[in-house]
Amino acid sequence: MKSLLEKLTSFLVVFVLPVLVIYFTIHFGLKRNDPPKVEVELRSQQQPKVDHSEFAILQQEFTDPRKVTEACLSCHNKRDDELMISTHWLWEREVELPGKGLVKIGKKHINNNFCTGPIGNNGSCMRCHIGYGWEDNTFDFSNPNNIDCLVCHDKTDTYFKQKGMAGWPATPETANAEFKVPDYNYVAQHVGHPDRSNCGVCHFYGGGGNNVKHGDLEEALNNTTRKVDVHMGVDGPDMTCIDCHITERHNIKGRSYSVSASNDNRISCENCHTSTPHNDKILDFHYNKVACQTCHIPVYAKVNATVMYWDWSKAGRKDEHGNAIKEYDADHNYSYLSIKGRFVYDDHVKPDYLWFNGLANHNIMDDSITSIPVQINTLYGEYRDPNSKIWPVKIHRGKQAYDPVTGKLITMKLFAHNKGEGAFWEDLEWEPAIRLGMEAYGREWSGEYDFVETEVYWPLNHMVSVKEETLSCTDCHTRSEKGRLAKLNDFYLPGRDYSKAIDYSGIAIILLSVVGVVFHSIKRIF
């Protein structure tokens, strides 16, 4: 007969001790360490070293903005050499593309599924060039006085390039209620590091309106909160673009893969946060295969909607009086414009996810269509690639004109100052717009056109959420078809992928073990 002490000991060892082991294992296993605090000196908070208003050369009466540039370069000598080899100036670069060899890409040379291409539409598109007057192919890229210093360095928020003027500010002849002639003397004496409005005037409005292109770059970032972007929130670090996009000798780090292809001159979260940002082995292990953005940008277009679909095939419709039509969706976003076609906007969009290793391919002007939807750009990567990580992307889908005889995408003439010059936005006629658009690029056109589905991929980097709103483990590690990574099925993902035979065998072994332990314990106690 066993004593009471022996029974109590057996009970503690068999039942209580295993429960305590399980409890403490789970408790300490789930406990998270505090991440290290990041201490970074922000460039945007550096005080100017000089007072430009004291310089005599900037106190002259400027009437021509090129004279302002000349004055800038008289002190900041050789800066023009740096700028005139930059992609912000050239809008092109040479790269090796798979299957195409050494080719030129950049805004000038690749197709896009927004406004098809800038050449021939200079008056409108070149408003975002950092020069004055790129009106046609006679623009002098070697003249440093054509550089527009003020568009990036104005600190007064009073300097703007006028719409439709190929990069020129308003003149006394063209000024209107929206665009005044800049006070060049005042602006030239108040310059400094670029802030959000300098970068955003182009990068927020690309594609013809706020947040049309990127989805994570829009005017709301000019004055936002940590809830929208944890870095740029004025109630947080209040960072500006140049705090991440470090610039040396006018080379701005960071790439947009709508126009870039190589894996260099990039910036990453690791630059400030290191490769072990969480101070937690499990979370930091994800860094090997998961981009920071994947968990920390759970949604984009957090404030204003972005364009998800643009159907050019519907463009050109007129009302009963022959006038152009504008229609709006329930949130007052454009749903139809005669000059552009049909749109689908969305906000608070969950990203798509794919493997990406920093390399991309592009559909350049003379590429033939080989698959549908046509891939305007291709982001390379796969699980087996050691440089690949899972990235969140916006996929902008479109339907745009192509030549069914040559099998190539078509570029169109969209902008002109007046009706009757063949521009689609003025005349709503396809034939002259296509013919002139193709001629502007020196391309041949068969005379026929149809429409084809296209896709372009935009890796997401902005609108980083506060930690309380990042993805949780079960957003990805789930068997639900709504799991964030449900479409990435070329690898084994714990919690999602399983074998029924192995799972049932394991459960059976566990149950048999528990039954055995209980039976043995009862025998020991009694």
Side-chain angles (χ1 to χ4, degrees):
M1 190 71 179
K2 295 180 179 176
S3 66
L4 179 61
L5 180 60
E6 289 176 323
K7 291 181 179 179
L8 181 60
T9 303
S10 298
F11 176 78
L12 292 173
V13 169
V14 173
F15 289 106
V16 177
L17 185 60
V19 170
L20 290 175
V21 169
I22 293 172
Y23 170 77
F24 285 114
T25 300
I26 295 175
H27 176 75
F28 289 105
L30 294 179
K31 187 176 181 180
R32 297 291 180 238
N33 298 323
D34 293 328
K37 191 173 182 180
V38 177
E39 299 287 351
V40 178
E41 183 184 6
L42 302 181
R43 289 195 170 196
S44 56
Q45 295 178 356
Q46 294 176 355
Q47 296 300 314
K49 297 179 181 178
V50 298
D51 182 354
H52 285 78
S53 65
E54 295 182 353
F55 295 152
I57 197 169
L58 298 180
Q59 294 172 359
Q60 58 182 298
E61 289 295 322
F62 293 109
T63 56
D64 185 339
R66 291 173 297 190
K67 291 296 182 183
V68 178
T69 300
E70 188 175 324
C72 297
L73 296 177
S74 67
C75 292
H76 299 279
N77 53 74
K78 300 297 183 183
R79 296 304 189 220
D80 48 324
D81 292 342
E82 299 168 3
L83 275 163
M84 289 194 293
I85 60 173
S86 72
T87 50
H88 275 88
W89 176 254
L90 297 172
W91 282 20
E92 67 178 10
R93 65 168 64 91
E94 284 191 336
V95 296
E96 290 273 357
L97 292 182
K100 300 170 187 175
L102 186 64
V103 298
K104 289 184 177 179
I105 62 170
K107 284 181 177 290
K108 283 172 61 176
H109 301 287
I110 62 177
N111 287 300
N112 70 66
N113 63 0
F114 294 90
C115 292
T116 70
I119 304 301
N121 301 303
N122 300 45
S124 178
C125 297
M126 279 47 171
R127 184 184 177 213
C128 279
H129 181 244
I130 59 165
Y132 296 119
W134 183 2
E135 297 171 352
D136 51 38
N137 58 12
T138 64
F139 179 74
D140 187 357
F141 284 91
S142 65
N143 183 354
N145 289 344
N146 283 338
I147 297 171
D148 184 350
C149 304
L150 299 178
V151 72
C152 295
H153 294 284
D154 164 45
K155 302 293 284 187
T156 68
D157 289 333
T158 65
Y159 176 83
F160 302 101
K161 292 168 175 283
Q162 189 171 17
K163 288 180 180 177
M165 300 308 292
W168 289 107
T171 66
E173 292 76 25
T174 65
N176 53 37
E178 184 178 7
F179 294 97
K180 312 291 185 186
V181 179
D183 184 341
Y184 293 114
N185 300 80
Y186 174 65
V187 177
Q189 294 172 24
H190 297 83
V191 293
H193 287 311
D195 56 31
R196 301 173 196 183
S197 60
N198 297 104
C199 305
V201 70
C202 285
H203 292 285
F204 293 165
Y205 301 96
N210 181 43
N211 208 18
V212 166
K213 279 188 174 179
H214 296 263
D216 62 341
L217 278 179
E218 59 127 325
E219 63 185 14
L221 295 177
N222 278 323
N223 185 13
T224 192
T225 65
R226 293 179 69 248
K227 290 275 288 183
V228 176
D229 187 289
V230 72
H231 296 112
M232 301 180 76
V234 296
D235 55 346
D238 198 13
M239 296 170 67
T240 66
C241 308
I242 62 170
D243 290 319
C244 285
H245 294 270
I246 302 298
T247 303
E248 296 178 353
R249 303 175 71 82
H250 284 96
N251 173 47
I252 303 172
K253 287 187 176 295
R255 290 193 178 283
S256 171
Y257 282 92
S258 60
V259 291
S260 301
S262 55
N263 189 16
D264 55 21
N265 205 42
R266 297 177 69 182
I267 56 176
S268 72
C269 308
E270 182 184 352
N271 296 144
C272 293
H273 294 280
T274 79
S275 59
T276 55
H278 303 95
N279 192 24
D280 182 289
K281 288 185 178 179
I282 295 177
L283 292 179
D284 287 339
F285 180 75
H286 287 70
Y287 175 81
N288 295 317
K289 280 297 182 185
V290 181
C292 305
Q293 293 87 334
T294 299
C295 296
H296 291 269
I297 307 178
V299 295
Y300 59 95
K302 288 182 179 178
V303 182
N304 294 298
T306 186
V307 173
M308 304 300 296
Y309 183 69
W310 183 334
D311 184 355
W312 273 101
S313 71
K314 306 299 183 185
R317 184 160 56 91
K318 302 176 183 176
D319 66 15
E320 64 273 22
H321 304 294
N323 299 317
I325 298 170
K326 292 181 180 178
E327 295 172 346
Y328 300 86
D329 63 19
D331 297 318
H332 208 67
N333 302 303
Y334 287 126
S335 59
Y336 182 82
L337 292 172
S338 295
I339 63 170
K340 294 183 177 179
R342 189 171 71 86
F343 297 93
V344 175
Y345 278 80
D346 201 1
D347 56 36
H348 296 83
V349 186
K350 291 182 179 179
D352 287 271
Y353 299 92
L354 47 75
W355 292 104
F356 181 42
N357 63 10
L359 300 174
N361 206 333
H362 292 274
N363 185 295
I364 56 179
M365 291 298 170
D366 284 328
D367 281 351
S368 297
I369 295 172
T370 57
S371 63
I372 299 174
V374 179
Q375 301 299 289
I376 297 295
N377 66 345
T378 302
L379 305 183
Y380 289 118
E382 60 175 346
Y383 171 71
R384 293 176 179 80
D385 181 346
N387 296 319
S388 289
K389 293 185 178 185
I390 297 171
W391 275 79
V393 298
K394 169 189 172 180
I395 304 177
H396 177 262
R397 295 179 169 88
K399 195 171 186 180
Q400 62 192 96
Y402 80 106
D403 187 330
V405 176
T406 64
K408 299 177 180 177
L409 293 178
I410 280 172
T411 45
M412 297 172 55
K413 180 173 180 58
L414 301 173
F415 172 83
H417 288 286
N418 304 297
K419 289 184 179 294
E421 296 179 8
F424 191 83
W425 289 347
E426 294 294 331
D427 303 331
L428 299 179
E429 298 291 339
W430 287 104
E431 193 281 334
I434 293 175
R435 176 171 50 78
L436 293 172
M438 297 293 277
E439 286 179 2
Y441 275 94
R443 303 175 63 196
E444 295 184 356
W445 176 44
S446 70
E448 298 184 26
Y449 68 93
D450 203 343
F451 296 90
V452 64
E453 301 282 350
T454 58
E455 292 180 345
V456 65
Y457 298 82
W458 297 81
L460 300 169
N461 291 291
H462 310 90
M463 293 194 173
V464 177
S465 292
V466 294
K467 65 179 182 181
E468 293 81 6
E469 296 180 2
T470 58
L471 294 187
S472 65
C473 304
T474 54
D475 284 315
C476 298
H477 298 277
T478 174
R479 295 177 183 176
S480 169
E481 294 180 353
K482 296 181 180 179
R484 294 291 184 124
L485 303 182
K487 295 179 181 178
L488 277 184
N489 49 21
D490 61 340
F491 70 108
Y492 174 78
L493 179 63
R496 180 193 67 179
D497 303 318
Y498 67 102
S499 163
K500 287 185 178 179
I502 294 176
D503 281 7
Y504 290 154
S505 299
I507 292 172
I509 291 172
I510 292 173
L511 290 176
L512 289 172
S513 300
V514 171
V515 170
V517 169
V518 171
F519 179 76
H520 177 75
S521 303
I522 292 174
K523 293 288 288 181
R524 291 285 299 250
I525 295 173
F526 300 101

